[in-house]
Amino acid sequence: LPGDILHLTPGYYGAFSATRDGAPGKPIVIRGSRGSVIPSTFDSVSLQNRRHVILEGVTVNGSVDLLGTDEVAVRHCVVNAKFGIIAKSPPGAKNCYIADNVVTYIMPWVAVGMGHESIYGGPANVGEGIEITGPGNVICHNRVKGYRDCISTMEDLRAYEQVSIDVYNNDLDVCVDDGIEADFCMGNCRIIRNRLTNCLMGLSSQPSLGGPTYFVRNVMYNVIHAPFKLGRGSVGNVFLHN
């Protein structure tokens, strides 16, 4: 019920799908045993179409699906998956908070695997750390490593109301295509104070659809191709102190 806190004991819980909503000021909290030697572990977690739910302190060896969510939080979780925390098609996720998570995969840092048209493991590199569309989302203080794109919005027909999005203070490593792919942002998207290490491309805005799309005080190390990718007629970008 709204306001309930489900405190999970250490152990294995298989695949989980949430079926209840919380209420404003009374979220349902699903909380793992943080600090335990044995974590509270899931194969996957679906929060599809849920409202006012918090997932906290669990380990997920598969995707966390936020498609259709509103006012949902994922925080202090460990996610090990080819596709980590996702809401990849309309209506995406709305007003969600994704913070303080560790999201990892095993994409290797090798030349043959870099870029969209790589041949490593197939016709193209596949694997996205945090990949969502939708308005009002906050992605902050996450550590994301070993993906094609570590943090990404959606492109073309999958981009839905990508406005008022904040991506800040994330630590990203081994991004064999883009560190942050802020493509098809539609207004007031802010990419601020992120650290990107070992990327083919640093910050992508391909395109910004009028903006403003802000890139402020991001730090990039060992970028192979270029720090900024502004293709497809990108307009409305603001770059300050990167």
Side-chain angles (χ1 to χ4, degrees):
L1 296 174
D4 283 352
I5 298 174
L6 288 76
H7 195 149
L8 306 175
T9 58
Y12 171 68
Y13 290 87
F16 172 73
S17 295
T19 59
R20 299 288 184 92
D21 293 335
K26 296 182 179 180
I28 294 174
V29 180
I30 303 164
R31 179 177 294 161
S33 298
R34 293 173 58 192
S36 172
V37 175
I38 301 174
S40 305
T41 303
F42 294 91
D43 287 333
S44 62
V45 173
S46 174
L47 302 177
Q48 281 196 20
N49 302 314
R50 299 279 63 86
R51 297 169 60 89
H52 305 289
V53 174
I54 297 174
L55 180 70
E56 181 178 274
V58 302
T59 294
V60 186
N61 293 319
S63 297
V64 177
D65 192 347
L66 302 182
L67 184 63
T69 55
D70 189 357
E71 301 279 355
V72 163
V74 180
R75 62 192 191 192
H76 298 289
C77 295
V78 175
V79 180
N80 307 302
K82 181 184 289 187
F83 295 96
I85 301 172
I86 57 172
K88 299 172 59 174
S89 58
K94 180 180 180 182
N95 298 328
C96 288
Y97 181 67
I98 301 168
D100 298 290
N101 304 288
V102 177
V103 185
T104 58
Y105 188 50
I106 53 172
M107 196 71 71
W109 181 249
V110 292
V112 73
M114 293 180 183
H116 182 68
E117 300 300 331
S118 74
I119 61 171
Y120 177 79
N125 256 337
V126 178
E128 305 285 335
I130 300 172
E131 186 180 35
I132 62 174
T133 190
N137 297 300
V138 176
I139 302 170
C140 63
H141 298 285
N142 301 284
R143 295 179 61 194
V144 187
K145 180 178 180 178
Y147 287 94
R148 194 186 81 159
D149 303 316
C150 280
I151 295 177
S152 180
T153 53
M154 300 306 299
E155 301 177 79
D156 299 297
L157 295 179
R158 288 189 171 187
Y160 180 78
E161 290 190 30
Q162 292 183 168
V163 298
S164 300
I165 298 168
D166 289 287
V167 181
Y168 64 90
N169 288 11
N170 298 283
D171 190 2
L172 314 177
D173 186 18
V174 186
C175 320
V176 297
D177 191 12
D178 300 325
I180 298 176
E181 186 180 75
D183 294 357
F184 281 72
C185 283
M186 301 169 184
N188 290 318
C189 294
R190 296 162 288 263
I191 294 83
I192 301 175
R193 294 190 306 270
N194 300 283
R195 181 170 66 176
L196 295 79
T197 308
N198 301 327
C199 303
L200 179 70
M201 306 289 298
L203 303 170
S204 175
S205 183
Q206 182 177 265
S208 169
L209 300 179
T213 304
Y214 297 97
F215 297 89
V216 182
R217 296 191 184 278
N218 300 285
V219 179
M220 292 170 272
Y221 300 91
N222 197 27
V223 176
I224 297 301
H225 187 61
F228 309 117
K229 181 167 69 175
L230 308 177
R232 303 178 72 180
S234 189
V235 293
N237 296 289
V238 180
F239 291 90
L240 297 170
H241 305 295
N242 297 284

